[in-house]
């Protein structure tokens, strides 16, 4: 049925945007986490979105045209090297390694994710109203 | 096609098409942040023309693609939207454009619905005879 297709499509986008908000929250929360080695330093997480195509449905709940989170990648940008010999986490040469989270970028991601979420909520509420009006057609 | 069918079919078909259009625009809005996604819409006039007696495409050569025929469908009338300004991730959804299109599509749907309602209430009036 076409109407619940629209609901599913907007719903899939809402859950994808929620994943994005989650990664943003996690990135912002870990922005000032320090580590002893560059490998252990926190790297920003980014979700990768992909359109669900009609010939690539993975399970029954997916609707063609919606959005799927294909995976979550780590940002490849270099991690910050900070000289802070007094820090208990510092290595033998006195360096600690900070995250590569760009807080300004994350704030923009957050705003964009919440706007996209709102847009999809609006789609659902409009379509719900249209569906209810269509049901009333029998009462004319 | 009987009288009742032809009396109701125009707006019933329009309603189905408008619903398909809402579906497409909701896909565009859902994929507003998906890289490489191309915004789609339908060519409403030619999709609607199929119902108003316009002949279906003839397939006279093996290379011709058959029209999907019969019932309402948007398959053959899908078009990519031309973006006002290109974006780096190849996504052609422009939220302002889509919001406007969605608002208009919702209003169009209500208009078709109202026409259909009027036809049905007219029919009822005729049946009751009062």
């Amino acid at each position: 049925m076409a109407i619940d297709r629209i609901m599913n499509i907007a719903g899939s986008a809402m859950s994808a945007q929620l994943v994005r908000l989650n990664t943003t929250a996690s990135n912002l929360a870990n922005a000032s986490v320090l580590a002893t080695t560059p490998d252990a330093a926190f790297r920003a997480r980014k979700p990768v979105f992909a359109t669900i195509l009609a010939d690539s449905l993975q399970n029954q709940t997916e609707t063609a045209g919606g959005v799927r989170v294909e995976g979550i990648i780590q940002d490849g940008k270099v991690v910050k090297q900070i000289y802070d010999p007094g820090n208990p986490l510092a290595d033998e040469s006195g360096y600690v390694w900070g995250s590569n989270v760009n807080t300004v970028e994350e704030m923009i991601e957050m705003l964009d994710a919440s706007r996209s979420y709102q847009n999809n909520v609006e789609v659902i509420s409009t379509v719900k109203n249209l569906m209810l009006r269509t049901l009333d057609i029998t009462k004319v | 096609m009987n009288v009742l069918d032809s009396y109701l079919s125009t707006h019933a078909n329009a309603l189905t098409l408008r619903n398909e259009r809402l579906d497409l625009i909701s896909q565009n809005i859902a994929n507003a942040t998906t890289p490489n996604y191309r915004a789609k819409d339908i060519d409403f006039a030619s999709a609607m023309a199929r119902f108003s007696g316009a002949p279906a495409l003839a397939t006279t050569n093996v290379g011709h693609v058959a029209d999907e025929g019969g019932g309402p469908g948007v398959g053959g009338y899908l078009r990519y939207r031309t973006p006002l300004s290109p974006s780096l991730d190849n996504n052609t959804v422009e939220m302002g454009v889509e919001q406007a299109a969605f608002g208009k599509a919702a209003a169009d749907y209500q208009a078709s619905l109202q026409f259909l309602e009027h036809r049905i209430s007219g029919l009822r009036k005729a049946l009751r005879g009062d």
Side-chain angles (χ1 to χ4, degrees):
Chain A
M1 192 182 143
I3 294 251
D4 56 56
R5 259 183 58 83
I6 301 182
M7 298 280 191
N8 287 342
I9 289 166
S12 74
M14 278 163 68
S15 66
Q17 297 298 341
L18 265 189
V19 170
R20 190 173 168 208
L21 268 178
N22 263 309
T23 56
T24 307
S26 158
N27 291 345
L28 284 172
N30 288 288
S32 46
V33 168
L34 298 172
T36 313
T37 62
D39 287 337
F42 182 82
R43 283 168 170 79
R45 262 72 165 174
K46 310 268 169 184
V48 181
F49 291 170
T51 310
I52 302 169
L53 301 173
D55 53 3
S56 71
L57 295 179
Q58 284 174 355
N59 55 54
Q60 296 256 297
T61 58
E62 288 193 330
T63 305
V67 189
R68 158 197 313 142
V69 180
E70 199 110 273
I72 292 176
I73 55 162
Q74 295 198 355
D75 197 333
K77 284 202 284 285
V78 287
V79 291
K80 284 192 292 265
Q81 186 181 14
I82 305 159
Y83 185 64
D84 186 6
N87 195 307
L89 287 172
D91 61 11
E92 53 273 26
S93 2
Y95 286 109
V96 286
W97 304 83
S99 73
N100 65 353
V101 177
N102 180 342
T103 42
V104 178
E105 207 177 275
E106 296 301 331
M107 294 304 281
I108 294 168
E109 285 277 316
M110 188 181 79
L111 283 178
D112 195 35
S114 78
R115 284 272 176 266
S116 301
Y117 190 90
Q118 285 173 21
N119 276 320
N120 285 293
V121 171
E122 203 56 48
V123 167
I124 288 188
S125 88
T126 306
V127 167
K128 193 195 82 184
N129 284 332
L130 291 178
M131 185 164 72
L132 291 176
R133 280 216 49 197
T134 311
L135 282 177
D136 278 346
I137 204 166
T138 51
K139 293 185 191 151
V140 194
Chain B
M1 194 187 277
N2 63 40
V3 185
L4 207 57
D5 265 353
S6 60
Y7 181 66
L8 294 174
S9 67
T10 315
H11 296 303
N13 289 333
L15 201 64
T16 319
L17 267 182
R18 302 243 192 251
N19 192 8
E20 299 263 6
R21 178 142 192 263
L22 277 175
D23 189 320
L24 275 176
I25 299 172
S26 76
Q27 288 181 30
N28 292 345
I29 292 176
N31 285 285
T33 52
T34 311
N36 298 319
Y37 179 82
R38 299 298 169 108
K40 286 169 289 192
D41 203 346
I42 47 171
D43 179 2
F44 194 86
S46 52
M48 202 54 214
R50 146 179 286 172
F51 300 115
S52 46
L57 293 177
T59 50
T60 51
N61 183 294
V62 282
H64 289 169
V65 178
D67 203 10
E68 276 146 35
V74 293
Y77 305 102
L78 280 179
R79 300 284 182 272
Y80 286 124
R81 225 193 264 298
T82 313
L84 298 170
S85 58
S87 71
L88 271 178
D89 63 355
N90 268 327
N91 182 308
T92 63
V93 178
E94 279 159 322
M95 202 36 99
V97 174
E98 298 305 333
Q99 278 172 333
F102 190 80
K104 188 173 179 301
D108 286 346
Y109 183 94
Q110 294 207 31
S112 287
L113 198 58
Q114 208 134 41
F115 285 132
L116 202 56
E117 279 173 359
H118 286 157
R119 295 238 153 160
I120 291 173
S121 67
L123 205 59
R124 286 222 172 146
K125 217 177 251 176
L127 285 173
R128 274 201 304 265
D130 52 25

